[in-house]
Amino acid sequence: MGKIPAEEQSADAATVKTATGALSSAPAASTRVVHAVCSHDCPDSCGVLVTVETKTGEAGSGRAVKVQGDPAHPVTRGFLCGKVAKYLDRVYSPERLLHPMRRRSGVDKGPVPPGQEAEVFEQITWDEALELIAGRLTAVAAEFGPESVLPYSYAGTIGQLGYGSMDRRFFHRLGASQLERTICASAGGTALLSVYGIKLGTAPEDFAQAGLVIAWGANIHGNNIHLWPFIEEARRKGARLIVIDPYRTRTAALADEHLAIHPGTDTALALAMMHVILREGLEDKAYISEATHGFEELRAHALKPEHAPAAAAAVTGIDADTIVRLARAYANVMRETGRPAVIRMNYGIQRSENGGTAARAVCMLPLLTGAWKHPGGGLQLSTSGSFPFNSEALQRPELMLASPLKRPARVVNMTELGQALTTLGDKQEDEPPVKALFVYNSNPAAVAPNQNDVLRGLRRADLFTVVHEQFFTDTADYADVLLPAPTFLETKDVQGAYGHLFVQLSQQAIAPLGEARSNVALFGELGQRMGFKEECFKDTVDDLIDQALDTRNHWFSGIDREQLEREGHVGLRLPVDAEGRVLPFSTAAWFRTPSGRGELTPVPVFRAPTESRANAGVYPLEFLPRKADNYMNTTFANHPGHQRMEARTAGVLEMHEEDAKVRGVASGDLVEVFNARGRLRLKALVDGRVRPGVVAARMDWSKLGGDLSGAGANVNALTSERLTDIGGGATFYSTLVEVRKTAVEVRKAAAE
Ligand code: SF4
């Protein structure tokens, strides 16, 4: 636990003596350092030290002049990623949305070119904005039922209060539709729970003790950078890093070996590894007997001929010898080096149609080898379940019973937003259509799949849309009312992590810029404006933090707000073994499954995605709609400094030379990428980062170059709303397309 350089360590020089000894009233800087926590959607949840300078006589709480990683945080270790190292560019960007605004009368919804926002929106007061929103939501609820109001939010902030507290209370009390938050991680999360019963894994610090690290669908260098030093430490001691990923990421390029698997075939590879391990008797029989359930069934399944390496090679594109070598290396490393294998699986693996099963299959591998018994062994997908925040107290689901519905509201899957906005209510008399959409912590016009249907819905003149945002995003272009949101420097929150095991308190470093208001302030005030009498709508931020920490779970034992305010971060009180080590799943006592063991059934079955090379027809190429290393989904995509770091892939379709050649395409040519759902115009880049049969483009703001023709699209014009096999997640990486060189006229249009 670190002691934070807190406000009491300020170097206050507000008044100074002059040469004559008189006290000068000239402005002087008072500097303080505040402990905050990066709340962006990233496993690292970094401790951030914010240096704030206040001039004498200056109103407000001063200006942040520096952000740095907290050196006392055991995982942050004093550095920030490239995205947030430039964070003050974002906080003080001249493009920040700083005041409530409403759409000018008669202006249609649709893309607004940067710089032309004032022609579309006019500034109003918060009072006017709240009155307008309360009036419209009340009217919509009265006419169509409260479920015709749909909240749409995800992890634009992952602080407990910002992610889900007063907002949920508000929508529950209103009786609005519930949103199933599936767009990113639900298939993998469901998979992890089905095998282990809890979202927990190997601590990042322990990776330094591994003898083999497998990064499976995990671009660690791009979006989990604080794990990287621990992997490098392990490599210095002789560990190997193997990356399994269809795209040659930065991490893959730095690895000892890159296995470029065909998209969506991870289940087949994991089963083939099991086949080799079990065929050669490399499993840990004692551990399996003590800590797992369903082994014999899995064994019989994995040893079937269709899971032999040769068969898997045909499916995965990884040759049989390599699969055998990989399986042996994985299972034998402890015996051979005295150090175990660890898998860093990330959510890329589960964004395909068979993705939930794939995540389950990979989760089972350390249960066969017993890697969990050893420091540095095991697997990490998410550690979020180890933080026992009291979400019931924060979100108050029972308020739905006080709504006009007097029952839990219907659930709408966010991955199916396009359908929700365009077809919901068409078929059943008693199914209300969506008539009001309240977007916060997200940018669905850019990030939701099947973009053309999403935009068709957002364009509806009869849809009342509120967007709470920091910038004029693609989604803001469709708002009726825009509300200014703060950055994490401007709010106080409490936060766990999904990539480490420290709970942290994020202090408010500076006053909200302009008229920005936090989610807590916005929804508390709106609730009162709507006439909700429950006292919980008046809870303060500190009340909410206390409620979040108020749990009987002993992993939070003794951790309270005062301690977090004092120390910044505190490690969870996890069980330790006789030697004082935290070794998750080293014994059966750790599992929270119904069987109380690591669950190996139902056995994972590989099914080729509907949109994959196995089922290719008129659209033969597998499309990877990638996330940029230096953006966070679409966050940061509008900052020139971040754009420069991503210049290589701006407006680009990456292709293999075989696929380019048969289509007469060369690097630099304008191409059209298309399927039945939509089309994009991009510039071809034949660069060896994808294998034959795969093309890749990165997610971007539509209006900032997601499509070179300026049509206002991005990669999601091509993706579908088809759901994953389990967890109802998005299947971004199960998308088929075709590519053709564009006509000269189109090239001209795009250039203009
Ligand atoms: S985005 Fe991730 S790595 Fe970067 S500062 Fe935030 S938590 Fe740390």
Side-chain angles (χ1 to χ4, degrees), residues 38-40 42-46 48 79-84 223 225-226 632 636:
C38 176
S39 70
H40 287 283
C42 168
D44 296 8
S45 281
C46 288
V48 182
F79 76 97
L80 300 174
C81 66
K83 296 179 267 280
V84 174
N223 48 39
I225 190 66
H226 291 84
M632 182 76 64
F636 302 108

Coordinates of all heavy atoms in Angstrom, one line a residue, residues 38-40 42-46 48 79-84 223 225-226 632 636, ligand 1:
C38 N -7.3 6.4 -13.1 CA -7.7 6.4 -14.5 C -9.0 5.5 -14.6 O -8.9 4.3 -14.3 CB -6.7 5.9 -15.4 SG -7.3 5.8 -17.1
S39 N -10.1 6.1 -15.0 CA -11.3 5.4 -15.1 C -11.7 4.9 -16.5 O -12.8 4.5 -16.7 CB -12.5 6.3 -14.6 OG -12.7 7.3 -15.5
H40 N -10.7 5.0 -17.4 CA -11.0 4.5 -18.8 C -11.1 2.9 -18.8 O -10.6 2.3 -17.9 CB -10.0 5.0 -19.7 CG -10.2 6.5 -20.0 ND1 -11.2 6.9 -20.8 CD2 -9.6 7.6 -19.5 CE1 -11.2 8.3 -20.8 NE2 -10.3 8.7 -20.0
C42 N -10.0 -0.1 -19.2 CA -8.7 -0.7 -19.4 C -8.5 -1.6 -18.1 O -8.8 -1.1 -17.0 CB -7.7 0.4 -19.5 SG -6.0 -0.1 -19.3
P43 N -7.9 -2.7 -18.3 CA -7.7 -3.6 -17.1 C -6.7 -3.0 -16.1 O -6.8 -3.4 -14.9 CB -7.0 -4.9 -17.7 CG -6.6 -4.5 -19.1 CD -7.4 -3.4 -19.5
D44 N -5.9 -2.0 -16.4 CA -4.8 -1.6 -15.5 C -5.3 -0.7 -14.4 O -4.6 -0.6 -13.4 CB -3.7 -0.9 -16.4 CG -3.1 -1.8 -17.4 OD1 -3.5 -3.0 -17.5 OD2 -2.1 -1.4 -18.0
S45 N -6.4 0.0 -14.6 CA -6.9 1.0 -13.5 C -5.7 1.6 -12.8 O -5.5 1.4 -11.6 CB -7.8 0.2 -12.6 OG -9.1 0.1 -13.1
C46 N -5.0 2.5 -13.5 CA -3.8 3.0 -12.9 C -4.1 4.1 -11.8 O -5.0 4.9 -11.9 CB -3.0 3.8 -14.0 SG -2.3 2.6 -15.2
V48 N -3.1 7.5 -10.5 CA -2.6 8.7 -11.3 C -2.4 9.8 -10.3 O -3.2 10.1 -9.5 CB -3.6 9.1 -12.3 CG1 -3.1 10.3 -13.1 CG2 -3.9 8.0 -13.3
F79 N 4.3 4.7 -14.2 CA 4.1 5.2 -15.6 C 2.7 5.0 -16.1 O 1.9 4.2 -15.6 CB 5.1 4.5 -16.5 CG 4.8 3.1 -16.8 CD1 4.1 2.7 -18.0 CD2 5.1 2.0 -16.0 CE1 3.8 1.4 -18.4 CE2 4.8 0.7 -16.3 CZ 4.2 0.4 -17.5
L80 N 2.4 5.8 -17.1 CA 1.0 5.8 -17.7 C 1.2 5.3 -19.1 O 2.3 5.5 -19.7 CB 0.4 7.1 -17.6 CG 0.1 7.7 -16.2 CD1 -0.4 9.1 -16.3 CD2 -0.8 6.8 -15.5
C81 N 0.1 4.9 -19.7 CA 0.2 4.5 -21.2 C 0.3 5.7 -22.0 O 0.0 6.9 -21.5 CB -1.0 3.7 -21.5 SG -2.5 4.6 -21.5
G82 N 0.6 5.6 -23.3 CA 0.7 6.7 -24.2 C -0.6 7.5 -24.3 O -0.6 8.7 -24.6
K83 N -1.8 6.8 -24.1 CA -3.1 7.4 -24.2 C -3.2 8.5 -23.1 O -3.7 9.6 -23.4 CB -4.2 6.4 -24.1 CG -4.2 5.4 -25.1 CD -5.4 4.4 -24.9 CE -4.9 3.2 -24.1 NZ -4.3 2.1 -24.8
V84 N -2.9 8.1 -21.9 CA -3.3 8.9 -20.8 C -2.1 9.8 -20.4 O -2.2 10.8 -19.7 CB -3.8 8.1 -19.6 CG1 -4.0 8.9 -18.4 CG2 -5.2 7.5 -20.1
N223 N -3.0 -2.6 -25.0 CA -4.1 -2.2 -24.1 C -4.0 -2.8 -22.7 O -5.1 -2.9 -22.0 CB -5.4 -2.4 -24.7 CG -5.5 -3.8 -25.3 OD1 -5.1 -4.8 -24.7 ND2 -6.1 -3.9 -26.5
I225 N -0.7 -2.4 -20.8 CA 0.7 -2.2 -20.8 C 1.4 -2.4 -19.5 O 2.6 -2.7 -19.4 CB 1.0 -0.8 -21.4 CG1 2.5 -0.5 -21.6 CG2 0.5 0.3 -20.4 CD1 3.1 -1.4 -22.7
H226 N 0.6 -2.3 -18.4 CA 1.3 -2.5 -17.1 C 1.5 -3.9 -16.7 O 2.2 -4.2 -15.8 CB 0.4 -1.8 -16.0 CG 0.5 -0.3 -16.1 ND1 -0.3 0.4 -17.0 CD2 1.4 0.6 -15.6 CE1 0.0 1.7 -17.0 NE2 1.0 1.8 -16.1
M632 N -9.1 4.2 -27.0 CA -9.8 3.3 -26.1 C -11.1 3.1 -26.8 O -12.0 4.0 -26.6 CB -9.9 4.0 -24.8 CG -10.6 3.2 -23.7 SD -9.5 1.9 -23.1 CE -8.2 2.9 -22.4
F636 N -10.4 9.1 -27.4 CA -9.1 9.6 -27.8 C -8.9 9.7 -29.3 O -7.9 10.3 -29.7 CB -7.9 8.8 -27.2 CG -7.9 8.7 -25.7 CD1 -8.2 7.5 -25.1 CD2 -7.5 9.7 -24.9 CE1 -8.2 7.4 -23.7 CE2 -7.5 9.6 -23.6 CZ -7.8 8.5 -22.9
Ligands
SF4_1 S1 -5.8 3.7 -20.0 FE1 -5.1 1.9 -18.8 S2 -2.9 1.9 -18.9 FE2 -3.6 3.9 -19.6 S3 -3.5 5.2 -17.8 FE3 -5.6 4.4 -18.0 S4 -5.6 2.5 -16.8 FE4 -3.5 3.1 -17.1

